[in-house]
Amino acid sequence: MTDNGDGYLSRVADSIEASQLDMAARLLSHAEALVREPKASARELRYVAARLVESLHETLRVARSRGGRLPRPVEPFHSPDGGPVPGNGDCAGPPGAPGG
């Protein structure tokens, strides 16, 4: 919890989140290069995969935190063809999929 959108705690949280997202972007760039490297060892790939998992956890935490501060839409978003837009808060997935 932070104090408000302009308070000290909010600014500190925003700074930490920005740093985490910047690190995630740099890690992604490194991982992309490593995956393209034919001589990358299994140990190197496992290491970068573990760091990507950690980074994804942090990135999801940031997204949830920021998303929690946004007003919820009254109706789900829909694509131009009328279908629901993936990722608009509906985690059920397509009809017939597990959890859907």
Side-chain angles (χ1 to χ4, degrees), residues 4 8 20 25 28 44 65 68-69 71-72 78 83:
N4 65 39
Y8 174 76
Q20 289 171 325
L28 179 58
E44 290 172 311
S65 171
R69 293 180 282 199
R72 301 294 288 180
H78 288 85

Side-chain angles (χ1 to χ4, degrees), residues 3 6 8 14 19-20 23-25 27 38-39 41 44 48-49 51 53-54 62 71 76 83:
D3 44 7
D6 296 326
Y8 174 76
D14 288 345
S19 176
Q20 289 171 325
M23 288 188 296
L27 175 60
K39 295 182 181 180
S41 71
E44 290 172 311
V48 80
R51 303 298 71 82
V53 167
E54 291 170 358
V62 169

Side-chain angles (χ1 to χ4, degrees), residues 2-3 8 16 23-24 28 34-36 41 44-45 50-51 56-57 63 67-72 81 94:
T2 57
D3 44 7
Y8 174 76
I16 291 169
M23 288 188 296
L28 179 58
L34 186 62
V35 167
R36 286 192 302 268
S41 71
E44 290 172 311
L45 293 170
R51 303 298 71 82
L56 183 56
H57 279 292
R69 293 180 282 199
L70 297 174
R72 301 294 288 180
D81 68 359

Side-chain angles (χ1 to χ4, degrees), residues 14-94:
D14 288 345
S15 175
I16 291 169
E17 290 173 352
S19 176
Q20 289 171 325
L21 294 176
D22 180 61
M23 288 188 296
R26 286 188 277 150
L27 175 60
L28 179 58
S29 177
H30 175 70
E32 288 173 332
L34 186 62
V35 167
R36 286 192 302 268
E37 174 57 52
K39 295 182 181 180
S41 71
R43 183 179 181 155
E44 290 172 311
L45 293 170
R46 279 193 305 272
Y47 180 82
V48 80
R51 303 298 71 82
L52 286 168
V53 167
E54 291 170 358
S55 181
L56 183 56
H57 279 292
E58 290 298 318
T59 303
L60 286 173
R61 187 195 58 74
V62 169
R64 287 185 184 121
S65 171
R66 290 182 179 186
R69 293 180 282 199
L70 297 174
R72 301 294 288 180
V74 176
E75 296 180 23
F77 297 113
H78 288 85
S79 65
D81 68 359
V85 175
N88 71 347
D90 181 11
C91 297

